[in-house]
Amino acid sequence: MADDKKRDDYTIEMSDLPKSRDQPMSSPRPPMPVPSTNNPIFPVLSYCGSSILMTCTNKFVLSGFGFNLNFLLLAVQGIVCVVAIQVCKSSGIITYRDFNTDEARKWFPVSLLLIGTIYTSTKALQYLSIPVYTIFKNLTIIIIAYGEVLWFGGSVTGMALFSFGLMVLSSVIAAWADIQHALQNYGHSETEASAKVSTLNAGYMWMMFNCLCSAAFVLGMRKRIKLTNFKDFDTMFYNNVLSIPILVAASLFLEDWSSANIERNFPTLQRNRIVMAMIFSGLSSVFISYTSAWCVRVTSSTTYSMVGALNKLPIALSGLIFFDAPITFPSVSAIAVGFVSGIVYSWAKVKQSSKPNTGGLPMTSQPMSASSQSARDSFKS
């Protein structure tokens, strides 16, 4: 930081000045160009790209070929993530703490909540389209906000309450559009229409569980982070290291490892593509945390908050472009309302943080590390 740099003081004696007034003075040096790594456009685009990559690769694996080994997918993602950040640490790119048993014991409840969050997330994404999944993720913000009111003495402003109304409205429109599309396309067959609606209802149920687990994870992480004082990639390292054994055990004992089911999940013609998508989804979680920390470093927290809100639009649009999500007026309207609700909520946070502290507790009292904040945003987007 510029304030931390020491500057040498130079004194010039009058006798040392040049006696000739005709001698030209040296021209000031031109300002140094801003390095490309400090240009905010690069981290913002990288953050958006990594978010889209993770959502699309997960959707490709989970819904493309009847995939049902969800615990295996999450275990592979966790292993890839740990290997990737360990390589980055060895290369000096990032830094985080070494494994400590006492810290692991304190952080273990948060890792259990994370497992519930990511598992219910994969189940919801398996049954719902990306736009609907993204829209319903906004409901997590409401649960977190009122959880902070109950347990941390937070407050909800009128503008935030208005954004909550928009979030609920966008979710209702999205669900109505999904059901209407199913009835119109499969209305000629009562059996097919009933099966499609049942699939959507299962997705909404898993989405409800995911919102509850995500809120519990964020609120629990906020409380536990005070005990451990984790920074940046510490949370990512401990979350993955502690969750990998549980995910591997759950996959071995709860999922079908018969040769027929393995062939169903990894068909010969698509096997390499599915495995590569699983690896990319693990790497994208590292990219999200790194680019999030990059955004926080080269921009302001206000800019980062707005980027998180604006990022929901390209993620929702990616579902319309790369997958067979229905493009109808109600579905596009739901995306638009959800997008506006994210902007309104971010602006409400900006206005609330700009107000002077009058003694009451703010909505978010303790700042999170960059990786913790990115984890929270990834669950919301």
Side-chain angles (χ1 to χ4, degrees), residues 20 62 87 117 127 146 166 169 196-197 201 257 320 345 379:
S20 175
L62 291 168
V87 170
T117 298
Y127 294 114
Y146 283 100
L166 292 177
L169 177 62
K196 184 64 177 177
V197 173
N201 290 335
W257 281 84
L320 301 178
Y345 178 70
F379 294 135

Side-chain angles (χ1 to χ4, degrees), residues 97-108 227-230 238 242:
R97 305 180 189 183
D98 295 328
F99 185 83
N100 180 276
T101 305
D102 183 60
E103 291 179 337
R105 179 180 56 82
K106 295 178 181 178
W107 197 257
F108 186 70
L227 300 177
T228 57
N229 197 26
F230 279 174
Y238 273 90
L242 296 176

Side-chain angles (χ1 to χ4, degrees), residues 38-201:
N38 290 333
N39 191 330
I41 191 65
F42 293 105
V44 168
L45 292 179
S46 300
Y47 175 64
C48 294
S50 58
S51 300
I52 295 173
L53 176 64
M54 184 173 186
T55 305
C56 289
T57 50
N58 280 341
K59 181 64 177 177
F60 171 78
V61 174
L62 291 168
S63 62
F65 308 97
F67 194 87
N68 57 19
L69 298 176
N70 295 56
F71 283 118
L72 174 63
L73 170 64
L74 299 176
V76 170
Q77 290 177 349
I79 293 171
V80 170
C81 183
V82 170
V83 172
I85 63 177
Q86 184 61 45
V87 170
C88 292
K89 181 180 180 181
S90 302
S91 303
I93 300 176
I94 63 175
T95 181
Y96 56 85
R97 305 180 189 183
D98 295 328
F99 185 83
N100 180 276
T101 305
D102 183 60
E103 291 179 337
R105 179 180 56 82
K106 295 178 181 178
W107 197 257
F108 186 70
V110 179
S111 296
L112 288 179
L113 291 173
L114 175 64
I115 292 174
T117 298
I118 57 181
Y119 180 76
T120 54
S121 174
T122 59
K123 297 297 290 185
L125 193 58
Q126 190 169 356
Y127 294 114
L128 299 176
S129 64
I130 291 180
V132 174
Y133 171 82
T134 305
I135 292 169
F136 271 84
K137 260 297 185 182
N138 281 337
L139 299 179
T140 307
I141 301 175
I142 303 176
I143 303 175
I144 292 173
Y146 283 100
E148 289 177 337
V149 170
L150 292 175
W151 293 303
F152 297 98
S155 60
V156 177
T157 63
M159 183 176 292
L161 193 62
F162 175 67
S163 70
F164 295 162
L166 292 177
M167 292 175 189
V168 174
L169 177 62
S170 65
S171 301
V172 172
I173 296 174
W176 175 76
D178 250 9
I179 295 175
Q180 286 295 112
H181 181 265
L183 294 177
Q184 290 175 2
N185 283 14
Y186 302 96
H188 58 278
S189 173
E190 185 176 347
T191 304
E192 291 184 4
S194 177
K196 184 64 177 177
V197 173
S198 298
T199 300
L200 293 175
N201 290 335

